[in-house]
Amino acid sequence: DVKVTQSSRYLVKRTGEKVFLECVQDMDHENMFWYRQDPGLGLRLIYFSYDVKMKEKGDIPEGYSVSREKKERFSLILESASTNQTSMYLCASSLAQTGTGDHYGYTFGSGTRLTVV
Amino acid sequence: LAKTTQPISMDSYEGQEVNITCSHNNIATNDYITWYQQFPSQGPRFIIQGYKTKVTNEVASLFIPADRKSSTLSLPRVSLSDTAVYYCLVGRMDSNYQLIWGAGTKLIIKP
């Protein structure tokens, strides 16, 4: 019954490593999102994508990049991991707006807890 | 974008009805209200969404007064498994990504 799958639940990486976080959804959703969640700071949007090969910066894109080559897959890349990127990373997807006022909620994955040492 | 204000935490007992109120004084005409539930070490889960009046589904009800400056999530007959953090969000109908996540309300259900 899993609809948004994140490749790893826990990940430990070294400072300076290039890190790939993968997210796959099976609901044919147009929109996909990457958030990070930190205690006291809530969920903060890193990047989102509303179509294949399209991407938009969120609130905290610095140090991250994304890739969306296929509709169902959205990857988050940490170009050179740093200790301040230790966090819970959450991927989400949603249907696109129809313009009728209908809206559909986000479906989140279970998250990847990344520790950078 | 309208910012939301919720209580930081609430306690209740099994079998009770729990109401969590969210304030969003600056809500715009084309904003909708959505509630999510999050358990530890999991992603948030969509609970309910509304624009005005009352919305009910199999897990909760959402009450929105006419001025839409607040909303109340109502959980009927809670159980221990309803212990979680509940987020109230306000977002534009013309955008899928303009959401502001607050700190949420930590709800603790006691036996």
Side-chain angles (χ1 to χ4, degrees):
Chain A
D1 190 41
V2 175
K3 300 179 185 301
V4 177
T5 303
Q6 294 185 231
S7 53
S8 305
R9 287 302 306 270
Y10 300 94
L11 214 51
V12 180
K13 295 292 181 180
R14 295 194 180 277
T15 301
E17 276 192 79
K18 190 169 186 176
V19 181
F20 293 85
L21 301 183
E22 305 288 342
C23 175
V24 177
Q25 52 97 1
D26 63 1
M27 296 166 288
D28 203 33
H29 283 174
E30 290 83 4
N31 303 319
M32 296 189 75
F33 309 83
W34 275 106
Y35 285 89
R36 63 177 284 178
Q37 185 173 28
D38 301 288
L41 297 176
L43 275 80
R44 293 180 291 168
L45 182 64
I46 304 172
Y47 268 96
F48 62 92
S49 169
Y50 51 87
D51 202 351
V52 175
K53 296 192 184 296
M54 304 301 290
K55 59 185 179 184
E56 295 285 343
K57 294 179 180 179
D59 300 317
I60 50 164
E62 295 78 20
Y64 303 94
S65 62
V66 290
S67 172
R68 193 165 181 201
E69 296 298 318
K70 294 184 178 181
K71 189 176 184 180
E72 67 271 18
R73 186 179 297 269
F74 193 35
S75 303
L76 179 70
I77 304 151
L78 285 66
E79 297 293 341
S80 177
S82 63
T83 55
N84 63 13
Q85 292 178 309
T86 291
S87 185
M88 168 70 95
Y89 289 87
L90 291 161
C91 175
S93 69
S94 73
L95 285 167
Q97 290 287 359
T98 62
T100 63
D102 291 337
H103 178 81
Y104 305 92
Y106 290 10
T107 300
F108 280 87
S110 297
T112 295
R113 188 166 294 281
L114 172 68
T115 302
V116 182
V117 298
Chain B
L1 291 174
K3 189 177 178 181
T4 60
T5 303
Q6 305 172 234
I8 293 174
S9 64
M10 291 179 66
D11 291 351
S12 188
Y13 292 89
E14 282 189 294
Q16 299 292 307
E17 178 184 78
V18 171
N19 295 311
I20 306 174
T21 296
C22 177
S23 170
H24 28 79
N25 291 318
N26 297 319
I27 191 168
T29 303
N30 56 348
D31 284 343
Y32 52 85
I33 300 151
T34 311
W35 286 80
Y36 289 83
Q37 174 192 57
Q38 187 177 25
F39 299 114
S41 299
Q42 292 187 27
R45 182 176 75 101
F46 173 85
I47 301 175
I48 198 166
Q49 183 178 88
Y51 182 73
K52 59 182 177 180
T53 63
K54 177 184 173 182
V55 180
T56 297
N57 63 22
E58 63 276 9
V59 297
S61 295
L62 178 59
F63 298 92
I64 306 169
D67 66 6
R68 303 202 323 126
K69 293 184 183 299
S70 66
S71 59
T72 299
L73 175 72
S74 180
L75 304 172
R77 297 179 299 282
V78 294
S79 64
L80 295 176
S81 62
D82 292 314
T83 293
V85 178
Y86 292 82
Y87 295 94
C88 164
L89 288 91
V90 171
R92 292 282 160 83
M93 284 185 174
D94 59 358
S95 166
N96 287 295
Y97 45 84
Q98 293 191 39
L99 296 175
I100 298 177
W101 294 76
T105 297
K106 182 164 186 171
L107 175 65
I108 298 174
I109 305 301
K110 302 175 182 177

